[in-house]
Each structure stands twice: as C-alpha cells, then as structure tokens.
Amino acid sequence: MLNLVIFGPPGCGKGTQSARIAERYGLVHLSSGDMLRNEIEKDTTLGKQVKKYVEKGLLVPDHIILKKIYKSAIKYINSAGIIFDGFPRTLVQAVMLDRFLHKKDILLDMVILMLVDRSELYQRLMGRAEDSGRKDDNEKVFHVRMKVYEKETHCLKNYYKKQSKILQVNGMEPVGDVSDKIANAINYYCKNNRIYSKVI
Ligand code: AP5
C-alpha cells in the first residue's frame, strides 16, 4: 500500500493534485471536503449537522469528521493505497489517524504540504467562486478559512516533521509541473524509502 496525506491552505491545490496522484498510482482519493459537501447536497442528517460549519469556513467537530473518515477508509484497507485530502486538519485528527492506521497495521508513507502564497490562494478561490457554487468561496469566508488553517492545521507540519514524513512542495507552479515534482518524490520514496527534505 501507498498511503499519503495532502494538506495546505484553502486553494493550494490539494484536490487537484490528489486526483492526479490517485490516478497515477491507482490510489483511492478520500477528500473530507467533498464528502461533507456531498452530504450537504443530499440533505442527509450528517449534511444538516455540518452545513453551518462548512459554509462559514469553520472546522467540523473532530468526532464527526473522524467517524465519517473511519467509515470510508475501512472499506479501502485492502486497496493499493489511500490519499487523504483535507484530513487530518487538527492535531487530534492526526493522532487519531495514526492510531487508526496502527491498529490496522498500515503505514502512513508520506505527508505532502503544499506551499502557496496567500495572494495566489485568494486569486484562485475568487476565480473559482464564479462557477464553483461553493458557499465558502467568497472573500469573507476565505479570510476565516485562512485563519482556521493557521490556527488549527499549520501545526501539523511539525507533527509530521518529527515523524520524518513531510514533503514540502512549492505549489505556485503550473498544475502539471507540480504533479510531476510530486510523482518524482513519490518514486524516489518508493525506491529509497526516504523523503526529500528540501522544498521541491
Ligand atoms: P475543503 O474542501 O478541504 O476545502 P479547502 O481546504 O478550503 O480547500 P479547497 O477545496 O478550497 O482547495 P484545494 O486546496 O483542494 O485546491 P483545489 O485543488 O480545489 O474543506 C471545505 C470545508 O469542509 C472546510 O472549511 C471545513 O468546514 C470542512 N472540512 C473539510 N475537512 C475537514 C476536516 N478534516 N475537519 C474538519 N472540517 C473539515 O484548487 C483550488 C483552485 O485553484 C481551483 O480552481 C484549481 O483549478 C486551481 N488550481 C489548483 N492548482 C493550481 C495551480 N498549480 N495553478 C493555478 N491554479 C491552480
């Protein structure tokens, strides 16, 4: 199995790159944001529960997201691997993911941190807002999402650095170039069991 986490601020390209990596390596793409939006769209009980958080750019409580992720991930423990996109997003989620994988005797191979300037993030999301239909793609909620990222999620960098699992990727380049760099790093890891320590 090849199991990856991808994280970074809103609009850094997590979803875009996850889809490409999943296709290239035959992995299952688990996007916590897509799962929640799907529940909201279907107006399920969970959707009703999480709508207010997602639309305001706030994090859904850990216990809710953990339950949803476990339920999905468990179906794929015999697959070629999973790329977790947008999860974990808090230290509690990261610790719980480690425990979950450990119990299943599964290794988390690499954690990809996407680095993109704030002004570029803003431009991307305001550009997407025109046709995404996402209630959180607007100026006010963008600033909330950024604040939440800095307060709750950015600290995962140190958490995974201590585990020597972090791959830092400059996500400012064109989509295809970013994908190629990530693929090179994954291939290097698969061959040498080591992760590039420099920003690529
Ligand atoms: P989520 O869906 O994860 O939103 P996000 O983190 O704000 O990220 P985005 O989906 O907006 O962006 P992305 O980084 O995936 O970039 P993308 O590839 O789309 O979460 C939404 C909400 O759900 C959260 O706010 C929270 O409420 C809740 N939630 C989710 N997970 C949770 C969790 N674990 N715990 C608690 N709550 C949770 O690209 C963005 C745009 O940029 C696109 O238009 C794309 O085409 C473009 N683009 C991508 N790459 C490039 C590039 N290299 N150059 C130019 N343009 C690019």
Side-chain angles (χ1 to χ4, degrees), residues 1-3 26-31 35 68-84 100-101 104 106:
M1 273 185 107
L2 176 67
N3 296 299
L27 308 182
V28 174
H29 176 191
L30 287 188
S31 158
M35 283 179 197
K68 179 74 185 158
I69 290 281
Y70 290 163
K71 218 173 149 186
S72 303
I74 202 115
K75 290 189 241 163
Y76 300 112
I77 50 174
N78 293 317
S79 69
I82 300 174
I83 177 155
F84 293 93
F100 171 81
L101 295 175
K104 305 284 169 209
I106 295 172

Side-chain angles (χ1 to χ4, degrees), residues 3-15:
N3 296 299
L4 310 170
V5 161
I6 186 164
F7 83 101
C12 65
K14 299 184 289 295

Side-chain angles (χ1 to χ4, degrees), residues 8-17 31-34 36-37 50 53-62 65 69 85-90 93 114 116 120-121 124-125 127-128 134 136-137 141 145 148 171-176 178:
C12 65
K14 299 184 289 295
T16 304
Q17 294 304 329
S31 158
S32 49
D34 285 350
L36 296 171
R37 280 185 291 277
V50 301
Y53 299 102
V54 174
E55 291 184 354
K56 288 181 189 159
L58 301 171
L59 293 184
V60 167
D62 288 331
I65 197 79
I69 290 281
D85 159 15
F87 173 88
R89 240 170 165 104
T90 63
Q93 292 178 20
M114 301 289 294
V116 176
E120 169 74 12
L121 297 169
R124 285 185 190 178
L125 293 188
R128 187 176 69 181
R134 276 178 59 166
D136 56 348
D137 276 349
V141 179
R145 285 155 77 193
V148 168
M172 299 282 287
E173 293 158 17
V175 171
V178 176

Side-chain angles (χ1 to χ4, degrees), residues 8-164:
C12 65
K14 299 184 289 295
T16 304
Q17 294 304 329
S18 297
R20 288 171 156 248
I21 298 165
E23 188 170 349
R24 205 157 182 161
Y25 294 93
L27 308 182
V28 174
H29 176 191
L30 287 188
S31 158
S32 49
D34 285 350
M35 283 179 197
L36 296 171
R37 280 185 291 277
N38 192 29
E39 297 287 339
I40 294 170
E41 205 178 302
K42 289 193 195 145
D43 202 24
T44 61
T45 308
L46 175 60
K48 286 189 179 82
Q49 236 181 329
V50 301
K51 192 170 190 259
K52 58 179 183 290
Y53 299 102
V54 174
E55 291 184 354
K56 288 181 189 159
L58 301 171
L59 293 184
V60 167
D62 288 331
H63 69 280
I64 297 179
I65 197 79
L66 283 164
K67 196 170 159 195
K68 179 74 185 158
I69 290 281
Y70 290 163
K71 218 173 149 186
S72 303
I74 202 115
K75 290 189 241 163
Y76 300 112
I77 50 174
N78 293 317
S79 69
I82 300 174
I83 177 155
F84 293 93
D85 159 15
F87 173 88
R89 240 170 165 104
T90 63
L91 270 179
V92 170
Q93 292 178 20
V95 170
M96 296 308 282
L97 176 64
D98 278 351
R99 280 194 203 159
F100 171 81
L101 295 175
H102 183 72
K103 264 195 204 158
K104 305 284 169 209
D105 216 10
I106 295 172
L107 178 73
L108 176 60
D109 293 281
M110 192 189 289
V111 177
I112 302 166
L113 168 57
M114 301 289 294
L115 305 169
V116 176
D117 293 350
R118 189 181 176 114
S119 58
E120 169 74 12
L121 297 169
Y122 178 79
Q123 276 183 4
R124 285 185 190 178
L125 293 188
M126 292 310 103
R128 187 176 69 181
E130 286 168 22
D131 51 21
S132 72
R134 276 178 59 166
K135 292 249 171 65
D136 56 348
D137 276 349
N138 63 66
E139 179 162 2
K140 188 175 160 209
V141 179
F142 168 77
H143 294 299
V144 175
R145 285 155 77 193
M146 284 301 296
K147 239 188 205 161
V148 168
Y149 174 77
E150 278 150 19
K151 188 162 173 252
E152 304 284 352
T153 311
H154 188 66
C155 57
L156 297 184
K157 178 179 169 183
N158 283 338
Y159 180 79
Y160 287 119
K161 234 182 181 178
K162 282 187 194 145
Q163 298 186 12
S164 307

